[in-house]
Amino acid sequence: MARLKKHLGRYVDPRTDFGWKFYFGREDNKILLIEFLNSLFHGEKIISDLRYKPVEHDGDYEEMRRVVFDLHCIGSDGEVFIIEMQQLFQEFFKDRAVYYTSRLINKQLARGKKGSDYYLPEVYFIGILEFDMDRNGSSGISRVTERPYFYDVALCDKLTKEIFYDKLGYKMISLPLFNKQPEELKTVMDQWLYLLKHLSTMDRLPSFLDKRIFGLIFEIGEIGKLTEEELMSYEASLKHKRDAESVFNSAKKSGEALGHAKGLAEGKAKGLAEGKAKGLAEGERKKALETAKAFKEMGLPIADIAKGTGLSVEEVEKL
């Protein structure tokens, strides 16, 4: 079997389930995840090491939903990280992020533990999204920022904007909103986001990316170096991604077509109603003019005619 296939490109796409875990979910390559997270925190905190933890968590009760994270890690200072790659738009993604962090926080205190010790570790949710999280304006807030693709969320006082609790955070990236060109990449985070978005179409490590940070990705990510089993898994993951996107786009187009048809129907109905109302108004006006003309010929006072027909004195005088 040919090792390289045209439709696969040269490098594994990190925006597939396989690619995301291939680059960031393996102990051998954890330096990549460490570097990526440090670029997002940008000095807010320095992550020196990570331990991978189980990604599947059952509820404490039978009726509680079982959750499965893409990646779940513990930092060297005890911080907890949930890292998710979300390919398709999900209406309640924010709810899901809060639910995931709540489940992990809930696990930090053993059931039945007595006392007032509620010390909790830092918990962070990292979301890499292939959609605009607020594309429908669901937040009701206009985000005026130089980085519309980056959501850096913490619990704040709404009046003073001061951080109320600094041990819970959400960092979200909407990749479709990141449109910087190579000459515009100013930070390491910029380079990471550009790489995530374009790696699958590259054929070599470009000079504008830091080789010390990204060299490993280009070294391990060559599709020609995958084992047969890895290649099959990657192809299946890539097909799943493309199929899901196709279904989503078809549904979106159908929805847009339905909306267009509905708009035309509503517009036609509105036009008919307005036309009918306009016709009735013109008919009533014509009738009023004819009545006023007859009253004027009968010699009735113009003021009385105007009052009786709803016309102005000027309109009656012109008859």
Side-chain angles (χ1 to χ4, degrees):
M1 183 176 72
R3 292 297 301 157
L4 292 176
K5 299 184 179 182
K6 270 190 174 182
H7 71 284
L8 296 182
R10 182 171 182 181
Y11 297 102
V12 172
D13 188 347
R15 296 171 302 161
T16 59
D17 290 335
F18 173 88
W20 185 250
K21 295 179 177 67
F22 178 78
Y23 289 117
F24 300 110
R26 303 195 299 179
E27 184 71 27
D28 292 346
N29 304 332
K30 69 179 178 181
I31 184 60
L32 295 176
L33 184 57
I34 292 172
E35 293 283 0
F36 176 63
L37 292 177
N38 279 329
S39 78
L40 296 186
F41 282 94
H42 195 58
E44 176 187 338
K45 69 187 296 80
I46 304 296
I47 302 158
S48 59
D49 196 12
L50 289 173
R51 288 182 291 117
Y52 289 96
K53 301 291 288 182
V55 296
E56 299 184 11
H57 293 264
D58 292 321
D60 292 332
Y61 307 99
E62 186 176 344
E63 63 272 16
M64 287 186 71
R65 176 179 292 186
R66 179 170 172 265
V67 298
V68 180
F69 310 134
D70 283 347
L71 297 175
H72 173 204
C73 302
I74 305 294
S76 52
D77 293 327
E79 321 97 308
V80 181
F81 299 96
I82 303 169
I83 304 103
E84 290 279 303
M85 162 62 78
Q86 183 69 30
Q87 295 173 351
L88 298 179
F89 176 75
Q90 188 177 79
E91 185 177 2
F92 299 106
F93 185 78
K94 295 176 186 177
D95 301 66
R96 175 180 162 190
V98 172
Y99 179 72
Y100 276 14
T101 53
S102 299
R103 283 289 295 272
L104 282 188
I105 291 172
N106 180 257
K107 292 286 186 181
Q108 303 307 313
L109 295 176
R111 284 192 296 172
K113 184 176 181 180
K114 297 181 179 180
S116 58
D117 181 9
Y118 282 90
Y119 176 81
L120 297 171
E122 299 172 41
V123 177
Y124 299 98
F125 182 99
I126 313 297
I128 310 303
L129 319 177
E130 288 212 77
F131 55 85
D132 179 359
M133 190 161 56
D134 284 321
R135 64 180 185 177
N136 296 320
S138 57
S139 66
I141 301 172
S142 177
R143 299 186 74 241
V144 181
T145 169
E146 294 180 352
R147 299 189 292 176
Y149 50 85
F150 185 41
Y151 295 75
D152 195 0
V153 181
L155 290 178
C156 296
D157 184 308
K158 292 172 68 175
L159 298 179
T160 66
K161 311 304 180 185
E162 294 178 346
I163 301 295
F164 171 74
Y165 184 72
D166 62 358
K167 293 164 67 176
L168 175 63
Y170 301 85
K171 295 181 185 294
M172 314 281 200
I173 300 291
S174 285
L175 282 179
L177 300 183
F178 180 82
N179 296 309
K180 290 188 177 183
Q181 299 304 307
E183 64 275 11
E184 299 176 292
L185 307 180
K186 306 299 182 184
T187 67
V188 177
M189 186 177 86
D190 286 346
Q191 294 186 47
W192 270 110
L193 300 188
Y194 187 91
L195 180 77
L196 291 177
K197 196 166 183 178
H198 299 285
L199 178 58
S200 63
T201 61
M202 293 180 177
D203 58 6
R204 66 176 64 86
L205 171 61
S207 59
F208 55 81
L209 295 182
D210 192 324
K211 185 176 181 179
R212 295 166 299 177
I213 298 175
F214 302 104
L216 180 59
I217 279 191
F218 285 85
E219 179 183 333
I220 67 175
E222 287 191 45
I223 291 174
K225 293 181 179 179
L226 298 179
T227 65
E228 293 296 330
E229 183 178 353
E230 287 173 337
L231 184 60
M232 290 176 64
S233 296
Y234 176 53
E235 286 191 283
S237 181
L238 192 61
K239 183 178 185 302
H240 173 75
K241 180 178 187 294
R242 290 170 176 170
D243 288 348
E245 288 174 345
S246 178
V247 170
F248 178 78
N249 289 332
S250 295
K252 183 180 177 182
K253 288 179 180 178
S254 296
E256 289 174 348
L258 181 61
H260 181 64
K262 184 179 179 182
L264 287 176
E266 290 176 348
K268 184 177 180 180
K270 182 179 179 182
L272 288 172
E274 290 177 348
K276 184 177 181 181
K278 184 178 179 181
L280 287 173
E282 290 177 349
E284 290 175 357
R285 176 175 170 76
K286 183 178 180 182
K287 184 177 180 181
L289 289 171
E290 291 174 349
T291 302
K293 185 177 181 181
F295 284 162
K296 188 176 181 182
E297 291 174 351
M298 292 169 61
L300 295 178
I302 290 179
D304 291 342
I305 295 173
K307 185 177 181 181
T309 60
L311 299 173
S312 66
V313 172
E314 292 77 10
E315 288 176 314
V316 175
E317 286 179 340
K318 291 178 180 178
L319 294 174

